[in-house]
Amino acid sequence: MRSDHLRPDRRTLLKVALGLGAAATVHLIAADPASTPTRPARAAGTPPAAAPGPPSGLPGRPPAYRLQPMTAATPPRFRPAAPPVRTRPFEELPDLGRSMVLTFDDGPHPRYTPDILATLRKHRVRAMFFVCGEMAEGNRDLLREMADDGHVVGNHSWSHPLIPGLSRAAIRDELGRTSDIVDATLGTPPLWYRAPYGAWNRNSFEIGADLGMEPLAWTVDTLDWTTPGTSTIVRRVLGGAAPGAVVLSHDAGGNRSQSVAALRRYLPRLLDDGYRVTVPQRV
């Protein structure tokens, strides 16, 4: 999504999303076993440990931190079983244990996404990026960087429209074109999608499933798109931290400097509190 202009009122749309009911539960989703374990919880009053230095290897980006894609041990055209047609999206992932999932929407953006990737790389954790096709088309290098670092690339439609106002053909075009861009760039299509504004309908669930994707919403909305201040974003993430929580932030769609700065602050605190920041794996 190129900017925040003409967005429908998000609070109204969130009420629509919440009206879909509680999250579905599925046992075919697990934490990615290759994700880095958490740091041990730090006792009160104990100073934080120094950040780990870069792994040994070639200069530049630490090669040991190029986490392997989740399908690295499977045939190149691996596809999980086609998902069922859901009636509501997943909002949390309770089967992940003391883990949390960080997600970033609307990118990739050449200004903000690299900083987010650098922070995730520094702390050796993976996240999910729900990309818009119109942004991915001109920033395929960032898609490759996401995949090379082991992050999950999801589908967030082509142009960030309000899905319930579209015909079935238009929904298929929005989701299908974005999946095609991801597939052409990374060699595999996305396995997850998120409706813009959290506004889903039956057509989107059916078409998403037909394209092989599961729908994922969120548990913690940082509302970072309102630019409420870095400290406010940090407080919302830490206040909503819980096993299985899915955090929604943005790496495009407007000025995301607060989102970038907030991630630098809350991510090490989550790890110090004993959370494992990971990504779901469909099996």
Side-chain angles (χ1 to χ4, degrees), residues 129-141:
F129 289 85
F130 286 91
V131 303
C132 288
E134 66 179 8
M135 298 297 293
E137 185 177 37
N139 296 286
R140 296 192 187 203
D141 56 328

Side-chain angles (χ1 to χ4, degrees), residues 29-248:
I29 297 174
D32 175 14
S35 292
T36 305
T38 58
R39 306 170 189 171
R42 178 164 52 90
T46 304
S56 59
L58 298 176
R61 183 176 303 149
Y65 186 50
R66 303 290 262 188
L67 300 176
Q68 292 299 313
M70 292 186 294
T71 56
T74 62
R77 303 302 294 180
F78 165 80
R79 296 289 188 277
V85 176
R86 305 291 178 188
T87 57
R88 51 189 179 271
F90 298 100
E91 294 171 2
E92 59 183 2
L93 299 171
D95 291 340
L96 299 188
R98 190 173 171 80
S99 299
M100 292 179 59
V101 178
L102 303 183
T103 69
F104 300 89
D105 286 9
D106 297 355
H109 192 287
R111 178 174 179 182
Y112 305 110
T113 305
D115 287 341
I116 289 174
L117 288 170
T119 298
L120 296 171
R121 189 177 303 125
K122 174 183 178 181
H123 295 284
R124 306 188 178 201
V125 300
R126 303 183 185 195
M128 300 181 76
F129 289 85
F130 286 91
V131 303
C132 288
E134 66 179 8
M135 298 297 293
E137 185 177 37
N139 296 286
R140 296 192 187 203
D141 56 328
L142 290 175
L143 286 187
R144 296 185 188 98
E145 190 170 347
M146 292 171 186
D148 286 347
D149 279 2
H151 303 300
V152 173
V153 178
N155 187 325
H156 198 40
S157 80
W158 183 267
S159 61
H160 208 277
L162 187 57
I163 292 293
L166 302 181
S167 66
R168 284 185 64 91
I171 295 172
R172 180 170 288 277
D173 183 65
E174 284 280 339
L175 296 179
R177 289 175 67 195
T178 302
S179 286
D180 287 346
I181 284 285
V182 174
D183 192 5
T185 306
L186 303 182
T188 184
L191 301 180
W192 299 88
Y193 75 106
R194 174 175 286 165
Y197 314 107
W200 314 77
N201 66 1
R202 180 161 183 81
N203 286 337
S204 68
F205 288 125
E206 291 176 350
I207 293 168
D210 188 54
L211 292 172
M213 299 184 293
E214 287 278 22
L216 183 66
W218 56 85
T219 314
V220 180
D221 190 348
T222 64
L223 296 174
D224 59 338
W225 60 275
T226 66
T227 58
T230 299
S231 295
T232 298
I233 297 171
V234 172
R235 185 173 66 252
R236 287 170 177 164
V237 173
L238 297 179
V246 179
V247 178
L248 167 62

